[in-house]
Amino acid sequence: MGAVRQLVKCVARNSGLAVSDQADFVLAVQELVTNAIRHGGGRGRLVLRLAGDCLVCSVTDTGAGFAGLPAAGSGPPPAGREGGRGLFLIRQLTQSAEIINGATGCTVTITMLLPSAAS
């Protein structure tokens, strides 16, 4: 996992992502990768790219996806509920998070706005 974190950190820095947002982006990507390994079949595919004024990360796995997701903008999961905090955290750390469940797996895509677009 250390190599993935270093790669994402390097891409975030080189893309021009604000220093204050880089750690949040790396943490969000780490959570996506961890979810793919833990719940999505043991592996996944990570794609980092620039799209206009955003740094985008998509993680795709071969798992069953997510069922019964709370709506974006809802609060954290109840204290007694197991799981769900990772997706809540991802939504708090990034500008957007999109989850697509498909017949062959799940893709979660997150975005971070680059500083040049924020001004």
Side-chain angles (χ1 to χ4, degrees):
M1 187 63 79
V4 172
R5 286 179 61 88
Q6 288 302 316
L7 171 69
V8 173
K9 184 177 179 179
C10 182
V11 169
R13 183 179 56 246
N14 291 341
S15 73
L17 189 63
V19 172
S20 59
D21 291 334
Q22 290 175 18
D24 288 348
F25 187 73
V26 171
L27 180 57
V29 172
Q30 177 181 322
E31 187 61 36
L32 291 177
V33 171
T34 298
N35 280 348
I37 293 168
R38 187 173 292 154
H39 306 291
R43 60 189 176 126
R45 181 175 60 112
L46 179 139
V47 176
L48 295 166
R49 62 186 169 86
L50 291 173
D53 56 2
C54 291
L55 177 58
V56 179
C57 175
S58 296
V59 175
T60 302
D61 62 46
T62 58
F66 298 95
L69 280 172
S74 62
R81 180 174 163 219
E82 189 172 323
R85 285 166 190 76
L87 290 174
F88 173 76
L89 177 66
I90 288 165
R91 287 177 171 155
Q92 300 304 305
L93 295 174
T94 62
Q95 268 77 46
S96 70
E98 177 185 42
I99 301 165
I100 300 174
N101 292 315
T104 59
C106 178
T107 299
V108 181
T109 301
I110 60 172
T111 61
M112 291 292 277
L113 194 61
L114 298 172
S116 58
S119 16

